[in-house]
Amino acid sequence: MPNIDDIEDVIIGVAGYNFYQRLVAKHGQINVLFYGALFLTIAVALFAWGLHGLLNSDASESWSKVKAGDKLYAANHYFKNHDNNNVIYTYQLVKPITASDIDTMQIPNWQKVKMKSQLDTTLKPQLIRGDYNFWADSLYKTGSAYIGSYISKDSIDKIMIDKWYVVKLNFLPGQSGNKEVLPEGYIYANRKLFYVDASEVQLQEATPFLKQSKKHD
């Protein structure tokens, strides 16, 4: 006996094919395919735009207010969603190696000539995972959500996030691990500076630690 789901699939397939045939008869196959592809492209673009906005939405709270030297704290939502979002990763900016960089290297001249001849001029600066992470438990142990001081901001894109804070980290609650390997043809732009997703931090102490401090007052 035929499976009910199989029958439904056949019915849906036939209905869809008939609908497509009617569209082709009315508008022509080229027009149907063109507008179908156009609709799909627009749908994908709108989805990407919506996802981009969602991923960067929390960053707007501090983006226009932050000033050099401000302390940055792990955001409140980081602690509310401990099971699902219990780590803040740090990133570092890497840039393509240039001829000037090669000139400063302590290597024989023939190696410098070789490296310059093999430079890839299509490479662009990018962010890679740094060697410090901030885990909620570590911050709970230190009694503060403070992760570092704001230096500047950057709109470089990575994983659909384009609002980043350049930070001088407070290393005490950091934990090493998950560092990405430096890509071939790149060097670090600055080994001492780290990037954090602006939506994961805020300009005031996180609520759990404010409540804790009030209990001791």
Side-chain angles (χ1 to χ4, degrees), residues 45-66:
L46 288 175
F47 174 78
W49 175 79
L51 182 59
H52 172 270
L54 180 64
L55 291 173
N56 292 278
S57 59
D58 290 336
S60 59
E61 295 183 11
S62 61
W63 189 255
S64 61
K65 304 174 185 177
V66 66

Side-chain angles (χ1 to χ4, degrees), residues 66-140:
V66 66
K67 303 183 299 296
D70 282 349
K71 289 186 175 181
L72 297 176
Y73 301 85
N76 287 326
H77 66 76
Y78 168 76
F79 299 97
K80 292 179 181 178
N81 302 317
H82 187 186
D83 292 337
N84 298 322
N85 185 24
N86 62 344
V87 58
I88 293 178
Y89 294 109
T90 65
Y91 296 82
Q92 289 191 277
L93 182 66
V94 295
K95 63 178 184 177
I97 296 175
T98 64
S100 298
D101 296 321
I102 295 174
D103 286 335
T104 64
M105 297 179 180
Q106 300 299 315
I107 58 176
N109 286 333
W110 69 267
Q111 289 187 357
K112 292 181 180 180
V113 174
K114 179 181 178 180
M115 289 184 66
K116 289 179 182 179
S117 69
Q118 297 175 344
L119 285 176
D120 186 347
T121 58
T122 65
L123 299 179
K124 303 293 183 182
Q126 61 173 290
L127 293 178
I128 65 172
R129 184 80 57 80
D131 54 359
Y132 284 90
N133 307 320
F134 289 88
W135 299 86
D137 285 348
S138 295
L139 295 174
Y140 277 121

